[in-house]
Structures are given as C-alpha cells and as structure tokens.
Amino acid sequence: MFGLELDYTILLLLCLLCACVFEFINGFHDTANAVATVIYTNSMKPLVAVVWSGVFNFLGVFLGGISVAAGILKLLPPESLVDQTVAHNISIVLALLVSAIIWNLATWRLGIPCSSSHTLIGSILGVGIVFSLLNGDTSLSGVNWSKAKETGLSLLISPLMGFGFTMGLMALLKYKVKTQSIFKSPQADEVPKSWIRGLLIFTCTGVSFAHGSNDGQKGVGLIMLILISIAPMHFALDQDKNPFEIQKPAQTALNGMIELDGQLKDPLVKVQAERIKAELFDINQILAKNSATQVVPVEERLSLRKDILFVISNFEKLKKDGGFSKADKATVKAIDHSLGQIKPLTSYAPTWVIFMVALSLGIGTMVGWKRIVVTIGEKIGKEHLTYAQGASAELVAAGTIGLATITGLPVSTTQVLSSGVAGSMVASNGLSNLQSGTIKNIAIAWLLTLPITMILSGLLFLLFRQLF
C-alpha cells in the first residue's frame, strides 16, 4: 500500500484508525454543546437532537472547505518530517493521536467540557518540540511558532467573545423583546412556542454545522499530516490536478518578482525576494524538465510541494515588509493572483479523507453525549437554562465559529459555547448565578490541557520511537 512495507502499512492504517477515533470522540465530546440548549428547553427530544446535530456536523465537514485543515498542517509541517525514517514519522503521528485521545476521554469521563482543539494543538506542539530537540535543533523549528501564536490567540480570544457577545445579546433581548416567557425556565415536558422552538433548532443547526466545518477540518488536516509524512510521494501533490497547469502562473509570478527586484531597498527584504525567485525558478525548472511526459516523477513531487509552500508563505511576509509603492502594487497583485492559482496543487484533501472524517464526527455526535450535555445545561449556572439563554449562547457560538472557519483559524466549540452559557447566566442575575465549582473545573482543565498534552505526547513519542 502506497509503496510501504507490510508492517509500515499496518501502522499507517492504525494511525488512520486513531484519527477516526479522535474525531469520533470529538463528536460526542464537543458536539454535546450544540444539543444541550434544545434538549434543556424541550425544543427537541434528545435522540432526535443528536441525530439532527450529527447530520449537520457531517454536512459541515463536507461543505466547510479546508482552510482550517491547512492551518493545522502548518503547525507541524509534514515537509519537515519527510527526511526522517518512516518509523519515526509513525511514532510522531501515533504519539500526538494517542495523547489527544487519552485527554479527551479523561475529561469526558469527568463530564468536563474540555476543548478537543486545545487537546490536539497541545499534542502537536509536544511532539514538535521533542522532535526538534532530538535533532539538535534548539530553536525548535519543528514547530511553526508564528502559526502556533496565531492559533493560541484564536483559542484565547474566542471564549472571551462568546462570553461578552452573549451578555450583550441577552441585554439587547431584554430591552427589545416584551415576551417575558422566553426569559423563564421551561417547565418539565413543556414545549416552547413555535417561533422560539424554531429559533432554538436553527441555532442548534448553526452550531452543529459550524462545528463540523471547523473541528471537522482539524480531522482532515490531521489525516493529511499522517498521509504526507508517512507516504509523501503519493500525497505531496493533488493527483487529481495536472501539475503542468501551474507552469504559466509560476512563470508569471517569477517575471513579476524580477520586475520588483529593482524597487526593493531594504537589504533583508532583498534577500527574502531572492529566495522566493530561486524557489520559483526551481518550480519552473521541474515543470519544464518533465513537460514532455506531462508527469512529475515521484521523487520530485515532494520537492515541488516544498517549493510551492515556501513561495506562498514567504510572499505573504514580503507583501507586509516590502514597502511597495502604489506603482508596484499592480505587480504585487498579479503575483498574488498567480500564486493563488498554484496553491490548490498542495492545499487539498481527497474526498475519501473528508468523508471518513465526516462520518466519524457525525456518528460520534450520536454517542456518549449525555455527560457534557448535563454539565452545560445544569452545572454552569444555578438556574435552569432559559429559551433566551440557549438561543443567545448558540447564536453567538455559531457566528464566532463560522467567522473563524472563514479566516482559517481553529477555535473550540466547547470553549465558545460554555463561555456563552456562562455569559447568559451572568446577564440574567450577575456573577452569583454561576456555579463556582463547575467554572473552576472548566478553568483548570483549560489551563492544564496544553501542558499535559504536550508532556504526554512528547513522552509517548520517545516511547514509540524505541518500539518502532
């Protein structure tokens, strides 16, 4: 399979299975947040709610694009791993998967809404750091720290947005809506009015779809990390696309860089531009050399991928640092457009990968959801969740997660929604309306997730490295 020996093929399949298990756990761990409000407001029966949420998680993965998946790949670039042995790459992948699964199951067993995104990112950082240190790299370049910082900020800011915006939305509802029944806790088995029920089902659907489009993409990125690092010759480039279609845009980009050359004044920026030109020249050379056969040899596909990713990421930096004049901006725009035509060759995921993640996440949503639902519905606030609180928290969560997906940033459904529920409780009756014990447990889990998963994944990598 993919040119691997039988034992490595078995280990690759094991890695893919673990990735599916992670997404399955993600389904019932994170997506329980989406169904908590409709269940606790009697808007949907529990079984109907989880099946409904599972279906829209499935659709979210399929229709959400792969921008977040590309972001996950940038945290631990598989291109930096391919010079290692297959056994070491399998050790890295298994270590981060197993550590993420262990922590997710532990927090689920305790009923603590802990972020699967947080868990996965901590695991990736842990193996990336240990991988770098073992190779004598004290700068820890095995981790893309600029992307890690960006991801960390999104994980920090998004729950604050959930809390603050939900409080604001609750205040607006109190000011504008005269129907006081939406601010009261539903009675047992009391079905809400049609318009309230419709709104709550709509927000549940939005959170489920947004979760699939954001968290599902993390699973897609995880599987692509596995495939590119273990079988790079088969997955370095999108084999459904003709690589020679990028010849013209690659040459256009190179011509544009040559045109800009005389306009650059800063010596450091000029060095950066020279490197971009050199990589664009290499891309053109590879394509020109093989244009007669219209097939890029297996051994050159990874080199082409590395060159493309280098050019795209470094040109983004050049745009910021170049200090281009208005006259140069047309050339910069033309280069940017050309690179956009090149990008799909490396920024992709096969349909079977997306389907596998969507199915794992969708089925997981329908299993084991109750522990987290009880925490969200009963243990964050001292009062039963009201219609207005449920709708406000989910509307803000769906909007926040959807915005993050559009910008390609991973965020935590758990953190955004649970903080939204907390914000709705505070908006109703102040800070005294929160259950301090639950908030404390959630905060402790949030603080401990990164260090624990980093340490656990690093230790597991060292163990697996000895075993394989």
Side-chain angles (χ1 to χ4, degrees):
M1 184 180 183
F2 305 135
L4 298 172
E5 297 173 10
L6 178 60
D7 51 350
Y8 288 150
T9 298
I10 293 170
L11 287 171
L12 171 59
L13 293 174
L14 177 62
C15 290
L16 294 176
L17 175 63
C18 285
C20 289
V21 169
F22 173 79
E23 281 304 309
F24 177 81
I25 296 169
N26 187 1
F28 65 71
H29 195 294
D30 280 22
T31 316
N33 298 285
V35 298
T37 54
V38 288
I39 291 173
Y40 272 88
T41 55
N42 302 320
S43 298
M44 297 179 87
K45 295 292 184 184
L47 181 59
V48 176
V50 294
V51 172
W52 181 269
S53 181
V55 169
F56 280 93
N57 264 277
F58 182 94
L59 292 174
V61 179
F62 257 99
L63 302 175
I66 60 166
S67 58
V68 176
I72 292 295
L73 275 171
K74 288 177 184 175
L75 274 174
L76 184 66
E79 296 76 27
S80 67
L81 306 181
V82 294
D83 294 331
Q84 308 300 307
T85 65
V86 174
H88 284 179
N89 288 343
I90 289 173
S91 300
I92 288 172
V93 169
L94 270 181
L96 72 89
L97 284 168
V98 172
S99 59
I101 288 170
I102 289 172
W103 186 244
N104 261 2
L105 282 176
T107 51
W108 166 79
R109 184 70 182 82
L110 295 170
I112 300 172
C114 178
S115 165
S116 295
S117 305
H118 216 156
T119 302
L120 176 61
I121 289 163
S123 300
I124 290 174
L125 294 178
V127 294
I129 289 169
V130 174
F131 168 78
S132 298
L133 292 174
L134 287 174
N135 284 281
D137 178 9
T138 54
S139 66
L140 307 180
S141 61
V143 175
N144 182 343
W145 290 106
S146 63
K147 188 64 184 177
K149 180 181 177 182
E150 182 182 282
T151 302
L153 283 173
S154 72
L155 288 172
L156 177 64
I157 293 170
S158 55
L160 297 177
M161 290 174 63
F163 184 86
F165 287 155
T166 304
M167 281 189 66
L169 185 54
M170 280 290 292
L172 182 63
L173 286 175
K174 283 185 176 182
Y175 178 71
K176 290 289 187 181
V177 178
K178 304 304 179 186
T179 308
Q180 291 302 304
S181 59
I182 71 168
F183 301 106
K184 295 178 181 177
S185 301
Q187 301 301 311
D189 299 324
E190 178 189 3
V191 178
K193 293 179 181 179
S194 297
W195 71 271
I196 298 174
R197 189 182 183 199
L199 175 62
L200 287 161
I201 292 173
F202 172 77
T203 57
C204 168
T205 304
V207 172
S208 300
F209 185 87
H211 178 266
S213 66
N214 196 281
D215 274 48
Q217 283 193 51
K218 294 163 197 162
V220 172
L222 189 56
I223 290 180
M224 291 310 295
L225 173 65
I226 293 168
L227 295 173
I228 297 170
S229 60
I230 296 174
M233 303 312 175
H234 291 270
F235 295 98
L237 304 174
D238 185 352
Q239 297 190 53
D240 290 334
K241 288 186 171 59
N242 180 356
F244 296 93
E245 290 177 359
I246 72 168
Q247 271 186 300
K248 186 176 179 180
Q251 186 61 55
T252 301
L254 178 58
N255 293 341
M257 288 301 301
I258 293 170
E259 186 179 331
L260 286 177
D261 199 30
Q263 312 303 318
L264 299 172
K265 309 299 181 189
D266 188 315
L268 293 177
V269 173
K270 284 181 75 70
V271 169
Q272 192 177 12
E274 286 299 324
R275 292 189 65 190
I276 292 172
K277 283 195 297 182
E279 300 296 344
L280 280 169
F281 182 78
D282 286 346
I283 291 170
N284 281 284
Q285 286 288 94
I286 290 171
L287 295 174
K289 185 170 60 176
N290 299 293
S291 59
T293 60
Q294 289 289 290
V295 175
V296 176
V298 169
E299 62 274 11
E300 291 191 313
R301 290 175 192 168
L302 186 62
S303 177
L304 185 56
R305 176 187 175 85
K306 286 182 176 180
D307 290 343
I308 290 171
L309 292 177
F310 178 90
V311 167
I312 291 171
S313 64
N314 280 273
F315 187 72
E316 286 299 315
K317 296 175 187 174
L318 188 69
K319 283 196 297 183
K320 295 176 184 176
D321 303 337
F324 297 110
S325 66
K326 286 184 179 180
D328 297 328
K329 295 224 174 138
T331 305
V332 171
K333 189 175 180 180
I335 297 171
D336 215 15
H337 177 71
S338 296
L339 296 183
Q341 294 177 285
I342 295 171
K343 190 176 181 180
L345 193 61
T346 57
S347 184
Y348 82 103
T351 302
W352 65 267
V353 169
I354 298 172
F355 180 82
M356 188 164 67
V357 170
L359 194 62
S360 301
L361 188 62
I363 294 173
T365 302
M366 304 175 198
V367 179
W369 48 270
K370 193 169 184 180
R371 289 179 185 274
I372 307 298
V373 164
V374 169
T375 299
I376 295 293
E378 297 180 9
K379 296 182 179 180
I380 289 180
K382 292 180 179 177
E383 62 183 31
H384 193 292
L385 200 68
T386 68
Y387 304 124
Q389 288 169 337
S392 297
E394 287 207 322
L395 195 60
V396 168
T400 303
I401 299 165
L403 179 62
T405 300
I406 292 170
T407 56
L409 290 171
V411 293
S412 165
T413 302
T414 302
Q415 291 175 359
V416 174
L417 189 56
S418 57
S419 63
V421 171
S424 73
M425 293 292 173
V426 172
S428 295
N429 288 303
L431 287 171
S432 61
N433 199 30
L434 296 176
Q435 294 197 39
S436 58
T438 302
I439 301 301
K440 181 181 176 182
N441 287 339
I442 293 174
I444 289 172
W446 188 84
L447 290 170
L448 291 180
T449 293
L450 270 182
I452 286 179
T453 51
M454 287 171 69
I455 292 168
L456 184 57
S457 64
L459 291 175
L460 285 173
F461 171 48
L462 293 174
L463 173 64
F464 292 154
R465 197 167 173 266
Q466 298 301 316
L467 294 176
F468 301 141

